[in-house]
Amino acid sequence: MMLSTQALLSAIGVGEKSATVIGATFQWFLRDLTGMLGGVLFTCYQGSNLDSNAKMWRLVADLMNDLGMLMDLVSPLFPSAFVFIVCIGSLSRSFTGVASGATRAALTQHFALENNAADIAAKEGSQETLATMIGMALGMLLARITIGHSFAIWISFLSLTMFHMYANYKAVCCLSLNNLNCERCSIVLSHFLKTGQVLSPKQVSSMEHVLPLWMTPWSPKGGDSLYKRVHLGVRVSSLDSLAMINLLQSAGSHYKKEKYLLQQKGGTVRIITHKDSVAADILQSFIHALVMAKLDDQDGSISSESQSWMAKHYEVFLLKLQSSGWKTERLLSSSVVWRANWLVDYSTDKND
C-alpha cells in the first residue's frame, strides 16, 4: 500500500510546481466518487450472496484490494489515462470494502463461541491496528529504499502481493464453518447417500471451493457440484404452461402438507417456496431438491422416490448433522425474493 500510494501521489503531481491544488482535488474527488458508486452497485448485485459464500468473498476482497493497489502503481506509467486507471482502482477497492465488511461480520459470528461477537470484533480490530502500524513502518522503510528504482519497486510489490494472496488463501482454507450453505449441504448429503454417515465441518472444509467460480476448473479440491442443478426461489410466472400443469398436479398429491413445490426438468430442479415458509422449510426444500437431482441420474419415479427418502431419512439426517456439529436452523443462501401462495393441508385426513 505504501508503494502504490507513493506512485499515486507522484502521478497526481505532488512535488511538482506545475501541479495545481484544484486539479489534484478534482482527480481525488472523481476517484472517491467512482468508488462510492461502485460499492452501492456491488451491494445491490451481490449483497445477498456474501453470507452464503463468506470464505470465497473474503478471498475475493483481498484480491480486489491488491488489484486496486496495482492500478495505483500503474497510473504514473500512462499519464493520458491516469484518471481512468485510478477510477478502476477505486472501483476495485470499493468491492473490497463491501465484501470485507460483510464477510468479517459473518466470520466474527463464527468465532463468537460464547455469543461475544462484540468482544471478538474489538480484539480483532486491535490486532489489525497493531499489524497495520507495523506494516506502515516497514512500508515507509521499503518506500524509502526503493524510491527512484522502478525495477525494485515492481519486484517488491509483486512479491509481497503474491505472498499476501497465498497467506490469505491458506487462512481461508483453515476455516471450518459449521453453517450449511448450498455447496456444504450438497457435499454432506452426497456422502450421506453413499455411506449413511455425515461428514464433520472440518472434513467438509477441505473439500469445498474457496476460489471464485471462474477459477473452479483449476481448483485442486474435489467439491460436489450437485447444488448447481438446484434453483431456489423460482418465480412461478417463469414456468411454461406444461410445467405449470405438472406443478399443480404435484401440489395436490406429493406436496399437500409442504410449504414448497419442486419441479424437475432438463436435469435441474426448481424450488417454488410458499409465502409462509420459514428457514426450516427452505432447508428442507433444498435437501429434497438435492435428493431429486441425485435420483435424476438413475431410473425410476423421481418424485415418489424422493418423497419416500424424505419420509424415511430426513429426520435421521438432521439428527446426524446436529450430532456432527452442524447448525441446522437455516440454509445460508441468496434471499428468496419470489414466493407463491397455495392452500396447505395440515390435516391427517385425505381431502379433495
Side-chain angles (χ1 to χ4, degrees), residues 109-111 113 175-181 184 200-202 208 321 324-330 332:
Q109 291 293 332
H110 167 70
F111 287 112
L113 301 180
L175 285 172
S176 299
L177 301 182
N178 57 356
N179 299 97
L180 287 170
N181 66 358
R184 289 193 283 271
S200 67
K202 186 175 182 180
E208 64 177 323
L321 283 173
S324 298
W326 292 100
K327 293 182 179 180
T328 58
E329 293 82 8
R330 62 184 291 252
L332 294 179

Side-chain angles (χ1 to χ4, degrees), residues 51-52 54-55 106-115 172 174-185 188 198-206 208 283 318 320-332:
D51 256 330
S52 57
K55 294 171 71 171
L107 297 180
T108 298
Q109 291 293 332
H110 167 70
F111 287 112
L113 301 180
E114 299 179 0
N115 294 322
V172 167
C174 288
L175 285 172
S176 299
L177 301 182
N178 57 356
N179 299 97
L180 287 170
N181 66 358
C182 295
E183 183 182 9
R184 289 193 283 271
C185 190
V188 173
V198 171
L199 296 171
S200 67
K202 186 175 182 180
Q203 290 173 313
V204 173
S205 68
S206 63
E208 64 177 323
L283 177 61
L318 283 186
K320 288 192 175 185
L321 283 173
Q322 294 167 2
S323 63
S324 298
W326 292 100
K327 293 182 179 180
T328 58
E329 293 82 8
R330 62 184 291 252
L331 174 73
L332 294 179

Side-chain angles (χ1 to χ4, degrees), residues 227-243:
Y227 69 98
K228 295 179 182 179
R229 296 164 58 185
V230 177
H231 298 163
L232 178 62
V234 174
R235 183 171 53 178
V236 175
S237 59
S238 66
L239 304 178
D240 55 38
S241 58
L242 181 60

Side-chain angles (χ1 to χ4, degrees), residues 29 37 51 58 122 136 161 187 200 207 269 278 281 283-284 330 333:
F29 166 76
L37 293 175
D51 256 330
R58 175 70 261 179
M136 288 176 65
T161 299
I187 293 173
S200 67
M207 301 171 65
V269 181
V278 295
D281 298 314
L283 177 61
Q284 181 179 347
R330 62 184 291 252
S333 64

Side-chain angles (χ1 to χ4, degrees), residues 138-149:
L138 295 175
M140 292 176 65
L141 177 62
L142 179 63
R144 178 69 177 176
I145 295 174
T146 59
I147 188 170
H149 300 84

Side-chain angles (χ1 to χ4, degrees), residues 54 78 103 112 137 164 188-189 211 218 228 269 272 291 310 316 338:
F78 304 94
T103 54
H164 178 232
V188 173
L189 180 64
L211 296 175
W218 294 276
K228 295 179 182 179
V269 181
I272 295 92
V291 173
M310 292 293 291
V316 176
W338 296 102

Side-chain angles (χ1 to χ4, degrees), residues 10 14 48 54 58 75 78 84 110 116 122 165 168 200 206 222 232 246 255 275 285 289 301 320:
S10 174
V14 174
S48 60
R58 175 70 261 179
S75 60
F78 304 94
F84 176 76
H110 167 70
N116 55 340
M165 289 309 305
N168 277 286
S200 67
S206 63
L232 178 62
N246 294 333
Y255 304 102
K275 70 179 185 67
S285 69
S301 177
K320 288 192 175 185

